[in-house]
């Protein structure tokens, strides 16, 4: 058999001493695409790049902006005056070692099309001298800008077009780049994508908080970590996101609801995989991808599946043909293309499928075409942010193979180029849209019914930001009741909510509308009236709808909103609803999310008529009860089980506990004494019951239980109590964003620190985590986490002592306090270490 002859460069790569962070030890990196099949990749002019595009039939693409007016663009937002605000991440990978990434080269520029020809010919620097900016959103008379670790609200107070005021909104907006410690601040995974949701909250990609400006101050609310780069929403307000190899996911159930009940545990409705297929169809060979030496990455030398998916954008405007409304467009900069997907609701879940068969909406033969963001413009066109550069892989993941490709083909230069492209239907003329900034309040109200989502949502934001005005509220109320546009009614309702002027007549009218988008919005907005005299009328209408509603999205919303009534009667209505709609995805979790503290009462009520409710409901309620770790509730649940007439029911419920991680991953519940109901059940000689009870007994302890010594926890001294009190504040500021105020984390991204042995064991371990960080994988509560905890910057020994004392005495933990002396000792022993700890080093799993 003839021997295969490899080119010299391939042999060198195969034998290289792995020097790049992205290299995998022992993995050969052999170039698969022959050099003679790799076309040149010169830096082209915009006119030359335009000729490389292959666009779907029926559409046209034109240049809207280019270098030198814009350089290294990564995000953009249109202002109400039609100007385009662009974030320039100048400074990203200036060379293959990222040597000056920590320098303030980033900017925000404002582009203006003064002659109305569709090309932004004027560029003004609004904000400069910032490090690696990556997110932007307009608000009131300023702009929010994210540049890790800062989220600022920036204003031009003197009218010169340049920001002269920066107000810090958050200090944990990612980690500042440190070239000497690249593992700590991966620009590919930092917070990004500021998006004003329909509910008037500002959502953020790859971050665990959301923001709202109310009564003259910024409010910070809990949210869930979502996505890697990019964020968008559909007409129901579902948030869409993705990761580099998973093109589209969505929050079918809003995280604000699921966070209501810490006893619920993990649910798939929060990070739902919308698109199952990950195949892409580039029109040029793709040797310049990070793992391009792996055969499974390529198909005929072209990228086979998503590897750099970002910015899923739901198009919702009336300029494109009607079949494009609600479609998802997804960027793939490594493959130089944009995919189009059809998104549909099926049984309450969202499903995305490719619009085209083995071809893409937009593809290019130019390797430097890097679509990294999408947005809808005031004119309804789809705008593409093109980072136009050779190097997009950050050195945190760069392989020796890709470095060689970049050097050999000169992809690392030039820098600071960039383009913005405009896609419209074929033959559509450029027509400047009327500026919302010049509109009266009455005109803005009318814009809520626009066929263009950008105009609707921008009008909503401007009206929410406007001063109190009874005339505006009256016009909004009329639109909410009488508009011929369903989305006009949706936005009128949410604008009233944002202005704090919701009235029962508006939401009741919405609940009677034929369009499910209106009904769902009206139900959700009506929650604002739960503390008003109209509460009973609203709950009565919810109850009526629960018995008749057929639309899955509205059924899901009813299951969520009924929890806001916080009453046993509404809980029974909800239980009946999820019985009638049992096939609707996530509806049981939606319902359970609103039951915190009331699960035991509904558990008892449901078991009185078990045939009337879903078979899975009693077990789900029981798991929530166990997750509270409250002895009185656990004992009551056991007594209810012991009183059931059928042994099969008892075994089913007890068995459901033994297989669920929200129960099995916890430490035993400490009871005051052996429950009488447990003794009663233990009289059974049935083998299955003996087995079930043996497991149950392992989950509870009490004084005098054979073989168990219940430790006596010493009360804190006055000095230790001071540590605890200070630590509570420190935890809220430094730790709660990831581990949550409940300590239960955000599985599967951030682990729980509630009743966790690693937290309450040897204090040296958590001290090391705070000082130098911890690199996964690590298993907590039966779940494996592969992310990294960065070191906590700017904390002294006292801060660490305070916060660990608080953590070890909270969230069900019963650990000893941590002294300042213990922290000092660990700091001294690990002085000089800069790399995060690994689980192997620390003897962890």
């Amino acid at each position: 058999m003839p021997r295969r002859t490899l080119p010299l460069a391939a042999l060198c790569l195969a034998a290289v001493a792995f020097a790049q962070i992205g290299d995998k030890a022992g993995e050969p990196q052999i170039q698969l695409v022959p050099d003679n099949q790799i076309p040149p990749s010169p830096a082209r002019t915009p006119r030359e790049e335009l000729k490389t595009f292959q666009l779907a039939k029926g559409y046209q693409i034109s240049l809207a902006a280019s270098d030198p007016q814009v350089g290294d663009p990564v995000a953009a937002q249109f202002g109400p005056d039609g100007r385009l605000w662009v974030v320039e991440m100048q400074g990203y990978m200036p060379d293959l070692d990222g040597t000056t990434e920590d320098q303030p080269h980033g900017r925000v520029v404002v582009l203006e099309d003064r002659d109305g020809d569709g090309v932004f010919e004027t560029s003004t620097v609004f904000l400069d001298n910032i490090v690696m900016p990556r997110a932007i959103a307009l608000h009131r008379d300023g702009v929010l800008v994210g540049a890790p670790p800062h989220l600022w609200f920036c204003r031009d107070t003197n009218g010169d077009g340049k920001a002269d005021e920066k107000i810090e909104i958050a200090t944990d907006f990612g980690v500042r780049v440190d070239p000497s410690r690249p593992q700590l601040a991966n620009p590919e995974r930092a917070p990004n994508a500021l998006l004003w949701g329909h509910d008037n909250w500002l959502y953020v990609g790859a971050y665990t908080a959301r923001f709202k400006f109310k009564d003259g101050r910024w409010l910070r609310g809990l949210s869930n970590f979502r996505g890697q780069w990019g964020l968008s929403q559909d007409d129901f307000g579902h948030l869409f996101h993705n990761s580099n190899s998973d093109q589209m996911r969505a929050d079918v159930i809003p995280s604000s609801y699921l966070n209501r009940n810490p006893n619920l545990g993990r649910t798939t409705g929060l990070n739902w995989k919308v698109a199952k297929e990950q195949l892409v169809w580039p029109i040029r060979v793709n040797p310049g991808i990070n793992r391009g030496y792996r055969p499974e990455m390529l198909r005929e030398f072209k990228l086979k599946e998503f590897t750099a998916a970002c910015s899923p954008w739901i198009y919702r405007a009336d300029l494109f043909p009607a079949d494009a409304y609600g479609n998802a467009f997804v960027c793939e900069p490594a493959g130089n293309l944009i995919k189009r997907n059809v998104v549909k609701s099926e049984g309450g879940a969202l499903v995305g499928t490719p619009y085209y068969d083995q071809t893409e909406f937009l593809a290019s033969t130019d390797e430097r075409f890097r679509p990294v963001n999408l947005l809808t413009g005031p004119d309804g066109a789809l705008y593409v942010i093109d980072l136009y550069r050779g190097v997009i892989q950050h050195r945190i993941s760069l392989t020796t193979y890709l470095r060689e490709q970049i050097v050999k083909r000169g992809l690392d230069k030039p820098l600071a180029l960039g383009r913005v492209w405009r896609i419209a239907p074929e033959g559509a003329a450029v027509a400047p849209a009327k500026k919302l900034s010049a509109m009266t309040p009455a005109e803005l109200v009318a814009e809520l019914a626009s066929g263009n989502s950008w105009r609707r949502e921008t009008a909503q934001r401007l009206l929410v930001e406007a001063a109190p005005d009874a005339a505006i509220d009256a016009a909004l109320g009329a639109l909410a009741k009488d508009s011929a546009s369903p989305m006009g009614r949706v936005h009128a309702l949410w604008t009233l909510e944002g202005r704090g002027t919701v009235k029962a007549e508006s939401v009741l009218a919405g609940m009677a509308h034929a369009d499910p988008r209106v009904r769902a919005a009206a139900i959700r907005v009506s929650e604002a009236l739960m503390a008003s005299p109209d509460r009973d009328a609203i709950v009565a209408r919810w109850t009526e709808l629960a018995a008749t509603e057929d639309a899955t999205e509205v059924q899901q919303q009813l299951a969520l909103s009924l929890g806001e009534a916080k009453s046993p009667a509404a809980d029974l209505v909800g239980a009946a609803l999820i019985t009638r709609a049992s096939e609707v995805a996530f509806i049981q979790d939606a319902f359970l999310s609103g039951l915190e503290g009331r699960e035991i009462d509904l558990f008892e009520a449901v078991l009185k008529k078990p045939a009337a409710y879903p078979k899975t409901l009693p077990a789900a309620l029981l798991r929530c009860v166990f997750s509270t770790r409250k002895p009185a509730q656990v004992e009551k649940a056991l007594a209810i089980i012991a009183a059931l007439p059928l042994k099969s029911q008892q075994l089913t419920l007890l068995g459901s506990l033994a297989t669920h991680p929200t129960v099995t991953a916890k430490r035993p519940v400490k009871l005051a004494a052996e429950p009488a109901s447990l003794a009663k059940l233990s009289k059974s000689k049935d083998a299955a019951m003996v087995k079930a009870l043996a497991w149950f007994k392992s989950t509870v302890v009490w004084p005098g239980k054979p073989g168990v010594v219940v430790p006596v926890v010493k009360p804190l001294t006055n000095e230790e109590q001071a540590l605890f009190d200070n630590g509570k504040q420190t935890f809220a500021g430094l730790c709660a964003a990831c581990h949550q105020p409940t300590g239960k984390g955000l599985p599967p991204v951030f682990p729980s620190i509630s009743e966790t042995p690693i937290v309450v064991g040897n204090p040296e371990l958590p001290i090391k985590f705070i000082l130098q960080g911890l690199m996964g994988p690590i298993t907590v509560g039966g779940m494996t986490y592969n992310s990294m905890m960065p070191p906590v910057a700017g904390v002294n020994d006292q801060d660490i002592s305070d916060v660990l004392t608080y953590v070890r005495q909270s969230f069900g933990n019963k650990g000893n306090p941590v002294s300042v002396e213990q922290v000092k000792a660990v700091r001294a022993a690990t002085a000089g270490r800069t790399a995060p700890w690994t689980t192997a080093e620390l003897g962890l799993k």
Side-chain angles (χ1 to χ4, degrees):
M1 180 176 181
R3 296 179 60 189
R4 180 183 178 193
T5 301
L6 297 175
L8 178 61
L11 288 171
C12 291
L13 283 172
V16 72
F18 292 90
Q20 298 301 132
I21 299 175
D23 291 338
K24 306 292 185 182
E27 183 178 48
Q29 298 185 14
I30 301 174
Q31 180 176 318
L32 300 176
V33 185
D35 286 340
N36 62 10
Q37 295 197 34
I38 302 174
S41 295
R44 293 176 168 88
T45 66
R47 185 184 297 273
E48 292 169 338
E49 185 188 5
L50 182 61
K51 295 178 181 178
T52 70
F53 290 143
Q54 178 179 295
L55 182 62
K57 184 179 180 180
Y59 292 89
Q60 64 187 25
I61 185 168
S62 59
L63 185 69
S66 71
D67 44 87
Q69 277 72 32
V70 64
D72 287 334
V74 295
Q77 290 283 313
F78 279 99
D81 57 1
R83 295 188 299 166
L84 184 62
W85 296 67
V86 182
V87 175
E88 297 183 339
M89 196 187 283
Q90 296 199 24
Y92 176 78
M93 288 294 285
D95 56 38
L96 295 183
D97 296 312
T99 51
T100 59
E101 280 191 338
D102 60 338
Q103 300 303 306
H105 299 307
R107 310 190 305 181
V108 174
V109 299
V110 185
L111 306 181
E112 188 172 1
D113 173 15
R114 293 182 175 177
D115 57 12
D117 65 350
V119 178
F120 296 94
E121 72 282 339
T122 303
S123 177
T124 303
V125 177
F126 174 76
L127 179 66
D128 56 9
N129 296 320
I130 50 179
V131 179
M132 301 281 277
R134 55 195 300 108
I136 189 168
L138 276 65
H139 175 64
R140 294 182 293 145
D141 59 344
V143 59
L144 290 145
V145 177
H150 309 286
L151 177 62
W152 289 303
F153 178 60
C154 306
R155 298 173 64 230
D156 166 21
T157 64
N158 59 14
D160 66 354
K162 192 174 180 66
D164 49 57
E165 178 183 84
K166 285 197 302 187
I167 299 171
E168 194 156 55
I169 308 303
T171 59
D172 63 344
F173 201 80
V175 179
R176 180 166 180 151
V177 170
D178 182 349
S180 67
R181 306 170 75 189
Q183 305 95 327
L184 306 184
N186 185 349
E188 296 177 7
R189 295 183 177 274
N192 64 89
L194 303 177
L195 175 75
W196 286 108
H198 290 175
D199 61 359
N200 301 302
W201 281 90
L202 182 70
Y203 289 90
V204 189
Y207 193 57
T208 58
R210 57 180 183 157
F211 301 93
K212 177 185 282 191
F213 189 80
K214 186 175 182 180
D215 299 329
R217 65 190 184 93
W218 285 100
L219 305 179
R220 179 177 177 134
L222 286 178
S223 191
N224 281 67
F225 190 97
R226 57 177 64 81
Q228 186 171 340
W229 183 269
L231 200 60
S232 63
Q233 63 188 330
D234 65 8
D235 282 353
F236 281 99
H238 297 129
L239 297 181
F240 288 76
H241 42 91
N242 61 11
S243 63
N244 63 304
S245 58
D246 189 347
Q247 64 154 320
M248 190 170 24
R249 287 182 172 263
D251 293 355
V252 180
I253 305 298
S255 63
S256 56
Y257 285 111
L258 295 176
N259 288 335
R260 294 180 298 183
N261 192 349
N263 305 321
L264 178 57
R266 186 181 180 187
T267 173
T268 55
L270 187 61
N271 187 24
W272 174 249
K273 191 180 186 73
V274 178
K276 303 297 190 292
E277 182 175 310
Q278 307 300 331
L279 298 176
V280 294
W281 303 92
I283 60 173
R284 64 158 286 131
V285 295
N286 302 117
I289 59 173
N290 205 35
R291 309 284 175 193
Y293 53 83
R294 292 179 178 173
E296 67 270 19
M297 296 294 295
L298 303 175
R299 177 204 309 114
E300 297 179 350
F301 301 147
K302 299 173 183 176
L303 182 66
K304 180 181 178 182
E305 297 182 325
F306 276 103
T307 189
C310 61
S311 303
W313 187 255
I314 307 300
Y315 180 82
R316 296 177 296 126
D318 50 5
L319 181 65
F320 280 19
D323 70 343
Y325 193 96
N327 284 187
F329 294 81
V330 182
C331 296
E332 173 44 275
N336 322 113
L337 60 85
I338 296 173
K339 177 174 282 292
R340 177 181 175 184
N341 296 279
V342 176
V343 180
K344 295 181 179 180
S345 176
E346 296 183 1
L350 295 169
V351 178
T353 54
Y355 185 89
Y356 304 104
D357 181 27
Q358 298 188 19
T359 189
E360 302 297 355
F361 177 70
L362 174 64
S364 173
T365 57
D366 187 345
E367 189 170 11
R368 297 174 188 256
F369 170 56
R370 307 295 193 182
V372 295
N373 235 315
L374 303 171
L375 67 161
T376 303
D379 57 351
L382 181 67
Y383 288 80
V384 181
I385 306 302
D386 177 4
L387 183 58
Y388 201 77
R389 55 161 36 223
V391 179
I392 57 171
Q393 187 74 55
H394 191 257
R395 73 176 183 120
I396 188 71
S397 306
L398 188 68
T399 59
T400 296
Y401 163 82
L402 183 54
R403 184 175 186 128
E404 175 72 13
Q405 283 284 320
I406 292 168
V407 172
K408 182 168 63 175
R409 299 195 284 117
L411 296 174
D412 53 337
K413 296 290 186 293
L415 301 174
L417 304 180
R419 287 87 198 253
V420 179
W421 301 98
R422 177 183 183 270
I423 300 178
E426 202 167 40
V430 174
K434 186 177 180 182
K435 297 178 179 180
L436 271 65
S437 58
M439 291 185 177
T440 65
E443 290 174 319
L444 288 175
V445 170
E447 285 289 341
L448 296 175
S450 169
N452 181 343
S453 62
W454 179 87
R455 302 187 72 83
R456 297 194 299 262
E457 291 165 4
T458 303
Q460 175 179 324
R461 176 176 65 82
L462 295 174
L463 288 166
V464 169
E465 293 168 1
D469 187 328
I472 294 177
D473 297 333
L476 289 168
L479 188 72
K481 291 187 294 180
D482 303 325
S483 177
S485 162
M487 289 310 297
R489 294 192 183 215
V490 168
H491 285 283
L493 287 167
W494 279 117
T495 306
L496 288 166
E497 189 275 343
R499 292 176 59 81
T501 54
V502 177
K503 292 185 177 180
E505 59 189 42
S506 297
V507 293
L508 290 172
M511 289 186 227
H513 195 271
D515 195 298
R517 295 172 295 180
V518 181
R519 297 200 301 280
I523 292 165
R524 190 172 177 188
V525 171
S526 69
E527 294 172 11
L529 300 176
M530 284 299 95
S532 77
D534 296 306
R535 169 195 164 86
D536 290 346
I538 298 300
V539 175
R541 183 61 180 138
W542 290 352
T543 301
E544 293 170 357
L545 284 172
T548 60
E549 181 60 60
D550 291 326
T552 56
E553 295 89 352
V554 185
Q555 291 173 330
Q556 285 172 335
Q557 186 58 56
L558 280 166
L560 292 165
S561 294
L562 281 163
E564 292 301 299
K566 301 185 188 306
S567 73
D571 294 343
L572 287 173
V573 171
L577 167 65
I578 68 169
T579 303
R580 192 173 69 85
S582 60
E583 299 302 314
V584 176
F586 323 119
I587 196 164
Q588 182 166 285
D589 282 354
F591 173 55
L592 293 172
S593 74
L595 293 178
E596 184 189 12
R598 305 191 306 280
E599 298 98 332
I600 186 64
D601 297 326
L602 186 60
F603 178 68
E604 184 174 26
V606 165
L607 285 176
K608 290 178 180 177
K609 296 182 178 179
Y613 300 101
K615 293 180 180 179
T616 57
L617 181 57
L621 290 166
L622 180 61
R623 290 194 294 269
C624 289
V625 170
F626 243 81
S627 293
T628 68
R629 322 305 287 166
K630 294 181 178 179
Q633 291 203 16
V634 171
E635 289 191 49
K636 183 176 180 179
L638 186 62
I640 293 170
I641 293 171
L644 290 173
L646 299 177
K647 185 179 295 183
S648 60
Q649 291 178 298
Q650 296 172 335
L651 290 172
T652 297
L653 289 169
L654 290 172
S656 71
L657 292 174
T659 58
H660 205 277
T662 59
V663 177
T664 58
K666 304 283 185 145
R667 291 190 301 163
V669 180
K670 297 173 183 176
L671 307 178
E674 180 180 9
S677 53
L678 182 57
K680 175 183 176 182
L681 288 167
S682 297
K683 294 178 181 179
S684 172
K685 304 301 182 182
D686 181 84
M689 180 62 74
V690 171
K691 181 179 179 181
L693 288 178
W695 177 87
F696 182 86
K697 290 176 182 178
S698 72
T699 69
V700 294
V701 295
W702 59 85
K705 181 181 179 182
V708 173
V709 177
V710 179
V712 177
V713 180
K714 293 170 54 178
L716 296 177
T717 65
N718 291 338
E719 292 78 11
E720 292 167 343
Q721 185 64 48
L723 298 178
F724 179 95
D725 294 339
N726 292 333
K728 185 176 183 179
Q729 297 180 14
T730 304
F731 181 86
L734 293 178
C735 313
C738 296
H739 295 295
Q740 301 296 285
T742 61
K744 293 183 181 294
L746 289 171
V749 182
F750 303 119
S752 170
I753 54 173
S754 171
E755 301 186 72
T756 304
I758 195 173
V759 172
V760 297
N762 184 348
E764 287 188 10
L765 293 179
I767 294 172
K768 288 178 177 178
F769 301 163
I770 293 175
L771 290 176
Q772 288 93 21
L774 177 67
M775 180 70 71
I778 185 171
T779 301
V780 178
M783 185 175 294
T784 299
Y785 296 80
N786 291 300
S787 55
M788 187 196 78
M789 173 184 167
V792 182
V795 291
N796 57 36
D797 296 342
Q798 185 67 63
D799 295 330
I800 298 174
S801 169
D802 292 345
V803 75
L804 288 181
T805 296
Y806 170 71
V807 167
R808 287 160 63 90
Q809 290 275 319
S810 302
F811 317 124
N813 298 323
K814 299 299 179 184
N816 294 323
V818 176
S819 68
V820 173
E821 288 70 26
Q822 288 174 298
V823 179
K824 286 181 178 178
V826 175
R827 189 188 290 272
T830 60
R833 183 183 178 101
T834 58
W837 295 94
T838 65
T839 53
E841 287 179 291
L842 301 175
L844 304 172
K845 294 182 179 180

